[in-house]
Amino acid sequence: MENYQITQWCHHFIREQVHEGDFCIDATCGNGHDTLLLCELVGDSGLVAGFDIQKEAVEKTETRLAETGMNGRGRIFCCGHEKMKEQLLQHEDCRKMLEQTADGYGKVSCIVFNFGYLPGGLHELATKAETSVVALEESLTILKRGGIISLCIYSGKDSGFEERDALLEYLKNLDRKKYLVIMSSYYNRPNHPPIPGLIIRI
């Protein structure tokens, strides 16, 4: 890896996972970097849905995709990530992301979460424990066999630890027969470093 930032750690696994024609979701668009990466990886035959509750984040993401010629591969929604299935159902192009296989798996290859606040944005608009857990729960139901959820969990400072603790508790109790949860840490870094993780649908 070129460096050791949490986003680069997650991008390493995302690049290994996502292929031409895949369905992917960026559950927290932020400045659009993850959305753009997903759009690049799925190709013209794939589709990416992005979500953010902040209009500023949606606009930045749409601009980033347009400037790189990727806007045809992405559909961006201004709403909380806990409403992703509701929004996908209402959009003709994205409805297919909710389809289930005969054995109960979904169709989505990769879902990306960054829990916290928009870099450079208002900290009081950070994601919250109650809606983040719901969004994560919804995401699990649409993952395909072998699909992954990439997690970046930020905490501390003015965003506190409530969301981090709720997410870690939820992840610890996931059905081990259905999901493999791998959490990492910046073990020797001070000041509550972010926590990267992966959920794999097995």
Side-chain angles (χ1 to χ4, degrees):
M1 287 189 280
E2 293 180 2
N3 60 51
Y4 299 99
Q5 297 300 317
I6 186 172
T7 51
Q8 294 301 317
W9 187 93
C10 291
H11 284 185
H12 171 78
F13 295 100
I14 292 170
R15 290 181 186 277
E16 291 288 322
Q17 170 68 23
V18 181
H19 303 287
E20 175 89 24
D22 278 352
F23 295 143
C24 296
I25 293 173
D26 186 353
T28 45
C29 287
N31 288 314
H33 297 290
D34 292 334
T35 317
L36 176 59
L37 173 63
L38 293 172
C39 285
E40 290 172 346
L41 295 173
V42 301
D44 288 331
S45 59
L47 186 64
V48 176
F51 299 88
D52 205 289
I53 200 168
Q54 296 187 67
K55 183 179 179 182
E56 176 191 0
V58 169
E59 290 174 348
K60 284 184 177 181
T61 300
E62 290 178 332
T63 298
R64 190 176 300 280
L65 296 187
E67 289 176 345
T68 54
M70 297 290 170
N71 48 314
R73 302 177 184 182
R75 306 290 183 271
I76 312 302
F77 301 92
C78 189
C79 70
H81 51 198
E82 75 278 9
K83 298 180 180 178
M84 68 170 69
K85 288 179 71 173
E86 175 185 326
Q87 292 297 318
L88 293 173
L89 184 63
Q90 295 176 17
H91 196 284
E92 184 176 357
D93 290 345
C94 298
R95 202 172 296 149
K96 63 190 78 172
M97 292 186 177
L98 299 177
E99 294 175 357
Q100 299 280 305
T101 62
D103 52 359
Y105 289 87
K107 296 287 186 73
V108 178
S109 175
C110 179
I111 303 172
V112 179
F113 280 96
N114 286 281
F115 297 106
Y117 48 79
L118 173 66
L122 298 173
H123 290 196
E124 59 266 28
L125 294 178
T127 54
K128 304 296 182 184
E130 56 271 20
T131 49
S132 292
V133 170
V134 170
L136 196 51
E137 196 168 30
E138 294 254 307
S139 297
L140 293 171
T141 66
I142 59 177
L143 269 186
K144 72 177 186 180
R145 183 193 293 268
I148 69 168
I149 296 178
S150 166
L151 309 167
C152 294
I153 304 175
Y154 298 89
S155 62
K157 296 185 178 179
D158 48 2
S159 60
F161 304 97
E162 180 185 0
E163 182 182 44
R164 179 201 68 184
D165 294 346
L167 288 167
L168 292 178
E169 182 66 21
Y170 176 78
L171 292 169
K172 185 171 71 173
N173 292 293
L174 282 179
D175 187 344
R176 68 189 66 178
K177 295 180 180 179
K178 295 182 178 180
Y179 308 101
L180 174 63
V181 181
I182 303 172
M183 304 305 296
S184 188
S185 66
Y186 290 90
Y187 201 58
N188 66 336
R189 288 190 179 179
N191 302 321
H192 314 293
I195 302 172
L198 292 172
I199 306 171
I200 304 169
R201 183 70 166 98
I202 56 179

